[in-house]
Amino acid sequence: MTTLKTDVYARQICMPEIGEAGQAILARSSVLVIGAGGLGSPVLFNLAGAGVGRIAIIDRDVVAASNLNRQFLYTMADIGKCKAAVAAERLKAYHPDLQVEWFAEVLTMDRARALIPAFDLVVCAVDNLKTRRLVNQVCFELHKRLIDGGILGFSGYAVALEPGKTPCLDCLFGLSDTPRTPKVANSIGATASVIGSIEATLVILLLLGLPNPLAGEILEYHGRTLTFDRIRVEQSAHCPICQSE
Amino acid sequence: MTVKFFSQFIDATGCREFELIAPESIEKLIEILITQFGEPMRQVLLSPAGDTIHEDAFLLVNGRHLRALNGFATQLVESDIVSVLQITEAG
Ligand SMILES: [Zn+2]
């Protein structure tokens, strides 16, 4: 590791959980981040900052003014630009050694099955249940670890799913094909930052081989009372996703 | 038994936990919760028609989703913990 790189990561290499060996693991790691919005912003900055070697970003949207209260990857000058491209450029400026790929597209089942095998871990930072359901199904098919989070207003959740060890998102949320009423998702940047930072923490812990602190649990965050709570979740007896692996 | 509230259900009830003698089913529990916490609870817990759980809410009985149990007819016993959550799906 060069002196400059050592300097960049000095404050975490001296952590007993990381050290030179852990930093090398992070540098060799690859993460697919689905969604570069309110959650994706802190997830991506934190993973790039930690020295994860390869990151891919999928987001089909362009930057809108209404994103800028919480999506800190972007500035006013980015309005109308492709989020995935701008995010990749910003991360590259932040850490030039980062290998970053971007895809401005809707994630389909076929695309997910083609992309996901190339990564150590997947982060879901999306704004709808339909995409979560798709990502959950493919990750469990391919035995790929999945970190998911969601927010609304002052509240949010995070989960760390490991096929073969934990229940899947379907068990947690009872996901179904039933169409949902479209609605404007409200939230503040601070909530997105809390949940996105927790998702990034989970990624780093799992990449380092440290125990999953949320195995089989949902972490619930309630910002109005600044409280966290955990709920143990059991695998559904007939779950079509995680019982058919 | 214990009912635990999360996210907007904390806001709707002003509390995080509610202890009660276990009613026979989830359907009865929902009636009790609406009687206890009124219209704000009905609005976030039930669909507008009142015949299903609201599309933005979900219930876990001892960590198992209601869909994987017996829906409204799910039987309850004194040792049960029912978690009442909001789907916080934004990103
Ligand atoms: Zn499952």
Side-chain angles (χ1 to χ4, degrees):
Chain A
M1 207 174 277
T2 64
T3 307
L4 179 59
K5 279 190 190 173
T6 307
D7 286 349
V8 168
Y9 303 118
R11 294 296 185 269
Q12 59 189 56
I13 286 174
C14 61
M15 290 168 63
E17 300 89 344
I18 299 181
E20 293 278 357
Q23 196 60 51
I25 290 171
L26 294 176
R28 285 196 304 271
S29 297
S30 57
V31 179
L32 174 63
V33 179
I34 303 167
L39 293 172
S41 291
V43 166
L44 288 163
F45 268 131
N46 277 297
L47 296 186
V52 170
R54 179 171 160 249
I55 296 174
I57 306 160
I58 302 182
D59 199 308
R60 66 165 174 174
D61 287 341
V62 296
V63 179
S66 63
N67 300 152
L68 298 181
N69 75 319
R70 67 197 185 285
Q71 301 187 16
F72 302 129
L73 276 164
Y74 314 112
T75 67
M76 288 284 180
D78 298 320
I79 291 172
K81 293 181 184 170
C82 165
K83 280 187 183 176
V86 174
E89 185 187 316
R90 209 123 292 158
L91 294 183
K92 198 74 182 157
Y94 181 40
H95 274 221
D97 289 333
L98 173 70
Q99 191 186 334
V100 57
E101 300 147 65
W102 59 272
F103 307 95
E105 58 188 78
V106 177
L107 187 67
T108 63
M109 192 69 85
D110 285 346
R111 193 74 172 111
R113 287 185 176 125
L115 270 176
I116 287 174
F119 295 89
D120 294 319
L121 200 147
V122 177
V123 179
C124 214
V126 303
D127 62 0
N128 65 87
L129 289 187
K130 190 178 169 193
T131 308
R132 283 189 178 87
R133 188 160 201 250
L134 182 160
V135 174
N136 178 59
Q137 181 175 333
V138 176
C139 282
F140 274 74
E141 263 176 33
L142 300 172
H143 283 259
K144 199 64 72 176
R145 295 169 296 179
L146 168 62
I147 308 300
D148 180 43
I151 53 172
L152 198 64
F154 280 99
S155 295
Y157 75 90
V159 293
L161 309 172
E162 297 182 90
K165 293 184 183 172
T166 70
C168 75
L169 271 188
D170 219 82
C171 293
L172 271 58
F173 297 138
L175 301 177
S176 76
D177 282 331
T178 312
R180 293 168 54 72
T181 312
K183 49 187 83 78
V184 175
N186 59 67
S187 195
I188 56 169
T191 306
S193 296
V194 168
I195 299 299
S197 296
I198 289 169
E199 287 192 87
T201 303
L202 290 164
V203 171
I204 292 164
L205 290 173
L206 295 192
L207 290 177
L208 290 171
L210 294 167
N212 178 355
L214 287 182
E217 293 183 329
I218 306 175
L219 181 69
E220 279 280 327
Y221 167 65
H222 187 248
R224 283 184 57 182
T225 50
L226 278 182
T227 47
F228 287 93
D229 210 338
R230 288 158 179 257
I231 308 159
R232 174 144 292 282
V233 180
E234 303 296 333
Q235 202 168 28
S236 297
H238 305 292
C239 178
I241 307 298
C242 61
Q243 292 285 11
S244 60
E245 292 170 62
Chain B
M1 66 166 296
T2 303
V3 181
K4 291 183 136 191
F5 298 118
F6 298 90
S7 51
Q8 68 177 352
F9 291 97
I10 300 173
D11 307 331
T13 62
C15 64
R16 306 178 64 81
E17 278 193 18
F18 179 60
E19 297 281 344
L20 73 165
I21 295 166
E24 67 187 46
S25 66
I26 284 287
E27 187 173 17
K28 295 284 180 203
L29 175 65
I30 288 170
E31 285 174 15
I32 291 169
L33 292 179
I34 289 172
T35 302
Q36 178 77 22
F37 298 107
E39 192 55 26
M41 172 58 87
R42 175 193 294 281
Q43 284 178 11
V44 290
L45 185 58
L46 289 181
S47 64
D51 55 348
T52 55
I53 297 292
H54 195 287
E55 67 171 4
D56 293 334
F58 64 107
L59 268 60
L60 302 172
V61 180
N62 304 323
R64 289 187 198 280
H65 196 280
L66 215 49
R67 199 187 70 171
L69 299 168
N70 204 14
F72 276 17
T74 302
Q75 300 291 295
L76 295 171
V77 296
E78 207 50 48
S79 57
D80 284 340
I81 298 174
V82 175
S83 300
V84 184
L85 297 102
Q86 180 185 26
I87 294 175
T88 52
E89 67 179 306

